[in-house]
Amino acid sequence: MLRGLDHIVVAVNDLDAAGKAYEALGFTVTPENRHPWGTANRLIQLDGFFIELLSVAEPGLITETAGATFSFGAFNRSFLAKREGASMLVMESRDAGLDRQDFEKAGLSLFEPFSFERVAHLPDGKTAKVAFELTILRDPLSPETGYFTCHNKYPENFWKPAFQTHANGAREIRTIYMVAADPSDHHEFLGGFTGQREMRATSLGLEVETARGKISVLNPAAYRSLVGESAADALQGELPQIAAIEIGTGSPEETGVFPASRLHGLTLILSS
């Protein structure tokens, strides 16, 4: 099953400040939502893809990862103890059971099935129920990044045109950039995770075309050359990691590279 990019989780210490930073760039940011395990989020919705700004709101509600039982809250709390930035990469799901079968056949390491519901705050001030089924994986070569597929059970309550309309014209995810010492080390995992076995490998890195957007895994020198000096200088923490995303705006006026220091650990590229 070929999957498309669904969202990334960007772990931040101050959710309100992160929301304001994205709003200053012309993004519409949703109101705050709460998870039952102690984290809170605000979202930037695009055309079928979103950025999830996430912080720890109620530490006392966080449980610990134990064996095959994954703790979303504990993972992001531990990530934030080291740095802010993109902590998790998420692919879309049409059927969590089929995802699990695919991943088992590919020999990938899985956590126990996980599902949850929460209240969504809508543009008109009302609320609605949203629910998700997650299939969470572990990549031993990328321990600082979380990976899962997400089956949205009530998409009609989640996706809203008012949230998908941005003053800067942002419309679609183009590319997620990862930086790794040796990009070729990650082709097996990413192939199984995305369902895309055909990849483009060059001296710069690895390129994976998904059903929505592209994943580009670059070595540090290639990332510095392609994304820029300021973006490369802002890298913190262990490799591999999600370093930048490119969003298409459809507007030549709304382009540029906005460094990680301004956007809580994630470099943002706006392109027409």
Side-chain angles (χ1 to χ4, degrees):
M1 182 187 301
L2 181 61
R3 302 172 183 87
L5 295 170
D6 188 85
H7 70 279
I8 59 168
V9 178
V10 181
V12 301
N13 290 313
D14 188 328
L15 189 59
D16 184 56
K20 288 179 180 177
Y22 279 83
E23 288 172 341
L25 291 179
F27 289 99
T28 299
V29 185
T30 70
E32 180 180 314
N33 304 293
R34 291 287 177 108
H35 295 127
W37 53 77
T39 56
N41 71 20
R42 298 183 68 186
L43 311 178
I44 297 101
Q45 293 188 358
L46 302 174
D47 185 12
F49 174 89
F50 64 97
I51 301 169
E52 179 179 8
L53 305 175
L54 182 129
S55 66
V56 175
E58 299 175 85
L61 296 180
I62 294 177
T63 59
E64 303 303 321
T65 294
T69 302
F70 183 81
S71 171
F72 190 96
F75 180 89
N76 283 284
R77 180 199 60 198
S78 297
F79 186 95
L80 282 169
K82 299 178 180 178
R83 64 182 182 93
E84 293 184 299
S87 61
M88 309 183 87
L89 174 61
V90 189
M91 304 302 295
E92 67 182 347
S93 171
R94 298 177 184 87
D95 186 310
L98 288 179
D99 290 340
R100 195 165 195 87
Q101 291 177 23
D102 285 350
F103 297 152
E104 287 174 343
K105 288 179 182 177
L108 302 183
S109 177
L110 294 166
F111 288 94
E112 293 176 354
F114 181 73
S115 61
F116 72 98
E117 297 180 355
R118 69 166 173 81
V119 173
H121 295 273
L122 305 180
D124 59 5
K126 297 179 181 179
T127 61
K129 182 173 75 171
V130 293
F132 308 89
E133 292 180 310
L134 311 184
T135 305
I136 306 169
L137 301 89
R138 178 192 290 113
D139 178 12
L141 298 180
S142 186
E144 299 295 313
T145 302
Y147 299 92
F148 61 93
T149 59
C150 181
H151 178 212
N152 188 338
K153 297 177 70 174
Y154 300 106
E156 69 279 6
N157 290 343
F158 182 83
W159 297 106
K160 297 298 177 182
F163 289 151
Q164 294 171 287
T165 304
H166 305 277
N168 60 15
R171 298 188 303 186
E172 62 183 4
I173 183 66
R174 295 260 176 90
T175 306
I176 291 179
Y177 291 94
M178 300 184 70
V179 181
D182 188 347
S184 64
D185 287 345
H186 305 280
H187 79 281
E188 284 292 339
F189 175 83
L190 290 175
F193 181 44
T194 64
Q196 175 61 276
R197 292 296 184 179
E198 296 182 7
M199 304 181 192
R200 181 170 176 261
T202 70
S203 59
L204 301 179
L206 194 66
E207 199 170 274
V208 185
E209 287 284 356
T210 81
R212 179 187 300 107
K214 180 171 61 179
I215 301 172
S216 179
V217 188
L218 301 172
N219 62 50
Y223 182 72
R224 180 174 295 275
S225 175
L226 294 176
V227 181
E229 296 287 337
S230 62
D233 290 342
L235 288 175
Q236 296 181 13
E238 298 179 14
L239 300 181
Q241 64 177 258
I242 302 167
I245 62 171
E246 180 183 0
I247 291 173
T249 67
S251 172
E253 292 78 22
E254 299 293 344
T255 61
V257 178
F258 300 92
S261 58
R262 184 173 176 182
L263 287 167
H264 299 261
L266 179 70
T267 291
L268 176 66
I269 304 165
L270 293 179
S271 61
S272 60

mmCIF file of all heavy atoms in Angstrom, residues 67-93:
data_model
loop_
_atom_site.group_PDB
_atom_site.id
_atom_site.type_symbol
_atom_site.label_atom_id
_atom_site.label_comp_id
_atom_site.label_asym_id
_atom_site.label_seq_id
_atom_site.Cartn_x
_atom_site.Cartn_y
_atom_site.Cartn_z
ATOM 1 N N GLY A 67 7.741 -1.876 27.376
ATOM 2 C CA GLY A 67 7.733 -2.982 26.429
ATOM 3 C C GLY A 67 7.159 -2.549 25.097
ATOM 4 O O GLY A 67 7.633 -1.593 24.478
ATOM 5 N N ALA A 68 6.088 -3.209 24.673
ATOM 6 C CA ALA A 68 5.463 -2.905 23.389
ATOM 7 C C ALA A 68 4.359 -1.861 23.503
ATOM 8 O O ALA A 68 3.692 -1.554 22.520
ATOM 9 C CB ALA A 68 4.892 -4.178 22.773
ATOM 10 N N THR A 69 4.181 -1.301 24.718
ATOM 11 C CA THR A 69 3.179 -0.253 24.915
ATOM 12 C C THR A 69 3.849 1.107 24.808
ATOM 13 O O THR A 69 4.664 1.482 25.661
ATOM 14 C CB THR A 69 2.496 -0.395 26.294
ATOM 15 O OG1 THR A 69 1.890 -1.686 26.385
ATOM 16 C CG2 THR A 69 1.431 0.672 26.472
ATOM 17 N N PHE A 70 3.526 1.829 23.752
ATOM 18 C CA PHE A 70 4.173 3.105 23.465
ATOM 19 C C PHE A 70 3.461 4.230 24.196
ATOM 20 O O PHE A 70 2.232 4.273 24.255
ATOM 21 C CB PHE A 70 4.132 3.367 21.956
ATOM 22 C CG PHE A 70 4.827 4.629 21.529
ATOM 23 C CD1 PHE A 70 6.205 4.666 21.380
ATOM 24 C CD2 PHE A 70 4.103 5.784 21.255
ATOM 25 C CE1 PHE A 70 6.856 5.821 20.977
ATOM 26 C CE2 PHE A 70 4.735 6.945 20.847
ATOM 27 C CZ PHE A 70 6.112 6.963 20.699
ATOM 28 N N SER A 71 4.239 5.168 24.738
ATOM 29 C CA SER A 71 3.689 6.362 25.362
ATOM 30 C C SER A 71 4.015 7.580 24.510
ATOM 31 O O SER A 71 5.167 8.015 24.446
ATOM 32 C CB SER A 71 4.255 6.557 26.773
ATOM 33 O OG SER A 71 3.857 7.825 27.280
ATOM 34 N N PHE A 72 3.004 8.119 23.852
ATOM 35 C CA PHE A 72 3.155 9.310 23.017
ATOM 36 C C PHE A 72 3.665 10.483 23.854
ATOM 37 O O PHE A 72 4.562 11.228 23.440
ATOM 38 C CB PHE A 72 1.792 9.632 22.395
ATOM 39 C CG PHE A 72 1.809 10.682 21.325
ATOM 40 C CD1 PHE A 72 1.872 10.325 19.982
ATOM 41 C CD2 PHE A 72 1.713 12.031 21.640
ATOM 42 C CE1 PHE A 72 1.859 11.290 18.984
ATOM 43 C CE2 PHE A 72 1.704 12.990 20.659
ATOM 44 C CZ PHE A 72 1.785 12.629 19.322
ATOM 45 N N GLY A 73 3.081 10.643 25.039
ATOM 46 C CA GLY A 73 3.482 11.754 25.895
ATOM 47 C C GLY A 73 4.912 11.638 26.376
ATOM 48 O O GLY A 73 5.673 12.610 26.360
ATOM 49 N N ALA A 74 5.310 10.435 26.809
ATOM 50 C CA ALA A 74 6.670 10.242 27.318
ATOM 51 C C ALA A 74 7.703 10.436 26.223
ATOM 52 O O ALA A 74 8.783 10.992 26.463
ATOM 53 C CB ALA A 74 6.797 8.862 27.939
ATOM 54 N N PHE A 75 7.390 9.963 25.002
ATOM 55 C CA PHE A 75 8.341 10.115 23.902
ATOM 56 C C PHE A 75 8.618 11.592 23.643
ATOM 57 O O PHE A 75 9.788 12.006 23.513
ATOM 58 C CB PHE A 75 7.797 9.446 22.634
ATOM 59 C CG PHE A 75 8.732 9.560 21.455
ATOM 60 C CD1 PHE A 75 9.707 8.600 21.247
ATOM 61 C CD2 PHE A 75 8.653 10.628 20.575
ATOM 62 C CE1 PHE A 75 10.595 8.707 20.167
ATOM 63 C CE2 PHE A 75 9.524 10.750 19.503
ATOM 64 C CZ PHE A 75 10.495 9.786 19.297
ATOM 65 N N ASN A 76 7.575 12.407 23.570
ATOM 66 C CA ASN A 76 7.769 13.819 23.263
ATOM 67 C C ASN A 76 8.320 14.599 24.453
ATOM 68 O O ASN A 76 9.080 15.551 24.267
ATOM 69 C CB ASN A 76 6.453 14.417 22.767
ATOM 70 C CG ASN A 76 6.171 14.031 21.330
ATOM 71 O OD1 ASN A 76 6.757 14.557 20.399
ATOM 72 N ND2 ASN A 76 5.274 13.074 21.158
ATOM 73 N N ARG A 77 7.994 14.190 25.663
ATOM 74 C CA ARG A 77 8.622 14.792 26.840
ATOM 75 C C ARG A 77 10.123 14.563 26.819
ATOM 76 O O ARG A 77 10.920 15.483 27.078
ATOM 77 C CB ARG A 77 8.002 14.193 28.100
ATOM 78 C CG ARG A 77 8.581 14.733 29.418
ATOM 79 C CD ARG A 77 8.276 13.788 30.557
ATOM 80 N NE ARG A 77 8.855 12.474 30.326
ATOM 81 C CZ ARG A 77 8.478 11.359 30.961
ATOM 82 N NH1 ARG A 77 7.509 11.391 31.858
ATOM 83 N NH2 ARG A 77 9.075 10.209 30.681
ATOM 84 N N SER A 78 10.540 13.329 26.490
ATOM 85 C CA SER A 78 11.967 13.019 26.430
ATOM 86 C C SER A 78 12.647 13.786 25.298
ATOM 87 O O SER A 78 13.790 14.237 25.445
ATOM 88 C CB SER A 78 12.163 11.517 26.247
ATOM 89 O OG SER A 78 11.650 10.808 27.354
ATOM 90 N N PHE A 79 11.950 13.905 24.169
ATOM 91 C CA PHE A 79 12.494 14.677 23.048
ATOM 92 C C PHE A 79 12.741 16.120 23.485
ATOM 93 O O PHE A 79 13.811 16.697 23.219
ATOM 94 C CB PHE A 79 11.514 14.634 21.873
ATOM 95 C CG PHE A 79 12.028 15.283 20.613
ATOM 96 C CD1 PHE A 79 12.649 14.529 19.626
ATOM 97 C CD2 PHE A 79 11.889 16.652 20.404
ATOM 98 C CE1 PHE A 79 13.121 15.127 18.466
ATOM 99 C CE2 PHE A 79 12.363 17.259 19.242
ATOM 100 C CZ PHE A 79 12.984 16.491 18.274
ATOM 101 N N LEU A 80 11.766 16.717 24.168
ATOM 102 C CA LEU A 80 11.890 18.117 24.589
ATOM 103 C C LEU A 80 12.952 18.320 25.661
ATOM 104 O O LEU A 80 13.444 19.438 25.841
ATOM 105 C CB LEU A 80 10.540 18.638 25.087
ATOM 106 C CG LEU A 80 9.547 19.015 23.992
ATOM 107 C CD1 LEU A 80 8.161 19.269 24.597
ATOM 108 C CD2 LEU A 80 10.029 20.256 23.238
ATOM 109 N N ALA A 81 13.306 17.282 26.368
ATOM 110 C CA ALA A 81 14.386 17.401 27.353
ATOM 111 C C ALA A 81 15.726 17.667 26.672
ATOM 112 O O ALA A 81 16.665 18.167 27.299
ATOM 113 C CB ALA A 81 14.465 16.132 28.195
ATOM 114 N N LYS A 82 15.802 17.354 25.355
ATOM 115 C CA LYS A 82 17.035 17.557 24.592
ATOM 116 C C LYS A 82 16.960 18.782 23.683
ATOM 117 O O LYS A 82 17.907 19.546 23.573
ATOM 118 C CB LYS A 82 17.331 16.318 23.755
ATOM 119 C CG LYS A 82 17.540 15.057 24.586
ATOM 120 C CD LYS A 82 17.773 13.838 23.701
ATOM 121 C CE LYS A 82 17.977 12.584 24.524
ATOM 122 N NZ LYS A 82 18.167 11.369 23.680
ATOM 123 N N ARG A 83 15.820 18.969 23.009
ATOM 124 C CA ARG A 83 15.697 20.086 22.083
ATOM 125 C C ARG A 83 14.258 20.199 21.607
ATOM 126 O O ARG A 83 13.447 19.293 21.810
ATOM 127 C CB ARG A 83 16.600 19.898 20.863
ATOM 128 C CG ARG A 83 16.247 18.699 19.984
ATOM 129 C CD ARG A 83 17.215 18.541 18.834
ATOM 130 N NE ARG A 83 16.867 17.426 17.950
ATOM 131 C CZ ARG A 83 16.115 17.536 16.863
ATOM 132 N NH1 ARG A 83 15.625 18.723 16.516
ATOM 133 N NH2 ARG A 83 15.841 16.487 16.113
ATOM 134 N N GLU A 84 13.938 21.313 20.955
ATOM 135 C CA GLU A 84 12.682 21.457 20.244
ATOM 136 C C GLU A 84 12.887 21.020 18.791
ATOM 137 O O GLU A 84 14.009 20.984 18.299
ATOM 138 C CB GLU A 84 12.206 22.917 20.265
ATOM 139 C CG GLU A 84 11.820 23.423 21.633
ATOM 140 C CD GLU A 84 11.275 24.842 21.590
ATOM 141 O OE1 GLU A 84 12.038 25.743 21.165
ATOM 142 O OE2 GLU A 84 10.114 25.049 21.957
ATOM 143 N N GLY A 85 11.801 20.703 18.100
ATOM 144 C CA GLY A 85 11.923 20.339 16.695
ATOM 145 C C GLY A 85 10.941 19.256 16.300
ATOM 146 O O GLY A 85 10.048 18.877 17.062
ATOM 147 N N ALA A 86 11.103 18.768 15.074
ATOM 148 C CA ALA A 86 10.212 17.737 14.532
ATOM 149 C C ALA A 86 10.554 16.394 15.160
ATOM 150 O O ALA A 86 11.617 15.831 14.903
ATOM 151 C CB ALA A 86 10.330 17.676 13.018
ATOM 152 N N SER A 87 9.640 15.879 15.956
ATOM 153 C CA SER A 87 9.906 14.662 16.718
ATOM 154 C C SER A 87 9.349 13.408 16.069
ATOM 155 O O SER A 87 9.826 12.299 16.359
ATOM 156 C CB SER A 87 9.320 14.788 18.128
ATOM 157 O OG SER A 87 7.911 14.977 18.072
ATOM 158 N N MET A 88 8.319 13.554 15.192
ATOM 159 C CA MET A 88 7.650 12.373 14.661
ATOM 160 C C MET A 88 7.221 12.600 13.216
ATOM 161 O O MET A 88 6.824 13.701 12.834
ATOM 162 C CB MET A 88 6.421 12.021 15.516
ATOM 163 C CG MET A 88 6.721 11.937 17.002
ATOM 164 S SD MET A 88 5.305 11.431 18.015
ATOM 165 C CE MET A 88 5.473 9.645 17.943
ATOM 166 N N LEU A 89 7.326 11.530 12.420
ATOM 167 C CA LEU A 89 6.922 11.540 11.010
ATOM 168 C C LEU A 89 5.756 10.577 10.848
ATOM 169 O O LEU A 89 5.832 9.423 11.281
ATOM 170 C CB LEU A 89 8.093 11.112 10.127
ATOM 171 C CG LEU A 89 7.816 10.927 8.631
ATOM 172 C CD1 LEU A 89 7.339 12.226 7.995
ATOM 173 C CD2 LEU A 89 9.071 10.421 7.925
ATOM 174 N N VAL A 90 4.690 11.041 10.203
ATOM 175 C CA VAL A 90 3.443 10.288 10.171
ATOM 176 C C VAL A 90 2.956 10.120 8.733
ATOM 177 O O VAL A 90 2.896 11.089 7.974
ATOM 178 C CB VAL A 90 2.350 10.997 11.003
ATOM 179 C CG1 VAL A 90 1.127 10.091 11.158
ATOM 180 C CG2 VAL A 90 2.891 11.404 12.368
ATOM 181 N N MET A 91 2.600 8.890 8.384
ATOM 182 C CA MET A 91 2.013 8.592 7.083
ATOM 183 C C MET A 91 0.510 8.371 7.250
ATOM 184 O O MET A 91 0.046 7.957 8.314
ATOM 185 C CB MET A 91 2.647 7.335 6.471
ATOM 186 C CG MET A 91 4.157 7.379 6.330
ATOM 187 S SD MET A 91 4.785 8.748 5.327
ATOM 188 C CE MET A 91 4.120 8.320 3.711
ATOM 189 N N GLU A 92 -0.240 8.627 6.177
ATOM 190 C CA GLU A 92 -1.680 8.424 6.216
ATOM 191 C C GLU A 92 -2.004 6.933 6.285
ATOM 192 O O GLU A 92 -1.205 6.083 5.894
ATOM 193 C CB GLU A 92 -2.330 9.020 4.967
ATOM 194 C CG GLU A 92 -1.950 8.299 3.681
ATOM 195 C CD GLU A 92 -2.566 8.918 2.449
ATOM 196 O OE1 GLU A 92 -3.481 9.754 2.594
ATOM 197 O OE2 GLU A 92 -2.134 8.558 1.337
ATOM 198 N N SER A 93 -3.207 6.630 6.760
ATOM 199 C CA SER A 93 -3.677 5.250 6.829
ATOM 200 C C SER A 93 -5.121 5.178 6.376
ATOM 201 O O SER A 93 -5.942 6.016 6.756
ATOM 202 C CB SER A 93 -3.564 4.720 8.262
ATOM 203 O OG SER A 93 -4.200 3.457 8.379
#
